[in-house]
Amino acid sequence: MENILPLKALLSSPKHIVITVHQRPDADTLGTGLALAALLQKQQHHVQVISPTAYPAFLNWLPGAQEVIICSRGQQKKSFELLNKADVIFCIDFPTLNRLHEMEPVVRTAAATKVVIDHHPTTEQFGDLIFRETGAAATAELLYEMIEALGVQELVDQDIAECLYAGIMTDTS
């Protein structure tokens, strides 16, 4: 997997990490973001998932969903502070930054290293490390491939597996 060694180096010591998902999150973006958050927390990173807008109530069962900050629900100041303080910002399952709604300009100008994990075609190239595979059925599938390439499969527990499964199951036609 291309760019895996720079990602491994980036994550080799604890960082402040924000994981962003697209507005009106579906199970792929939220499941992938939550799986990644759980994985990174096991590696001693300080991690927060931020969504521009609320996710559907039927996704409340996803492990970690209750910890997601919803920017549009009175959490704009906190969201922007975390984004500006982050060492790394993961952009999960969106091809253009405008999918971040009001968070777009903050992410665009943040000093953090931006890592994109996505399966949608795009004309906007953003991010310092890009993991994009338009042939993948879901972004959750790409994250699992990254987990294998990083050699950290032993960190995948039931919660991470359930989040990945939700993304793959709902985004696969």
Side-chain angles (χ1 to χ4, degrees):
M1 177 172 272
E2 204 174 314
N3 289 331
I4 205 66
L5 292 179
L7 180 63
K8 193 171 197 170
L10 178 67
L11 300 176
S12 65
S13 62
K15 303 277 190 293
H16 288 278
I17 297 175
V18 172
I19 298 172
T20 59
V21 299
H22 61 69
Q23 63 187 344
R24 295 184 301 281
D26 58 13
D28 189 24
T29 192
L30 191 61
T32 303
L34 292 170
L36 179 60
L39 182 81
L40 293 170
Q41 287 166 348
K42 286 183 171 198
Q43 297 173 311
Q44 307 308 310
H45 296 285
H46 305 280
V47 184
Q48 182 62 61
V49 178
I50 303 176
S51 177
T53 59
Y55 57 85
F58 68 82
L59 295 177
N60 281 335
W61 69 271
L62 286 170
Q66 301 304 317
E67 305 303 317
V68 175
I69 293 175
I70 310 296
C71 184
S72 66
R73 289 208 171 151
Q75 297 293 314
Q76 185 183 50
K77 182 179 179 188
K78 183 175 184 178
S79 298
F80 291 1
E81 285 173 358
L82 287 166
L83 287 163
N84 283 319
K85 185 174 102 173
D87 300 310
V88 181
I89 298 173
F90 279 89
C91 300
I92 304 296
D93 193 45
F94 54 88
T96 58
L97 282 173
N98 67 357
R99 296 291 314 271
L100 289 176
H101 197 50
E102 65 186 315
M103 293 168 33
E104 174 189 357
V106 180
V107 171
R108 189 177 296 280
T109 61
T113 300
K114 294 166 195 79
V115 181
V116 176
I117 307 173
D118 186 30
H119 70 125
H120 299 97
T122 187
T123 57
E124 181 181 0
Q125 295 301 321
F126 66 94
D128 301 296
L129 295 173
I130 300 172
F131 300 90
R132 183 181 314 281
E133 177 53 57
T134 57
T139 299
E141 176 185 348
L142 290 178
L143 178 59
Y144 187 76
E145 290 174 8
M146 291 173 68
I147 290 168
E148 286 184 321
L150 290 167
V152 294
Q153 305 92 305
E154 73 279 358
L155 297 178
V156 176
D157 59 14
Q158 183 172 336
D159 288 349
I160 292 171
E162 286 176 356
C163 288
L164 292 171
Y165 179 75
I168 292 168
M169 198 56 199
T170 59
D171 239 38
T172 305
S173 46

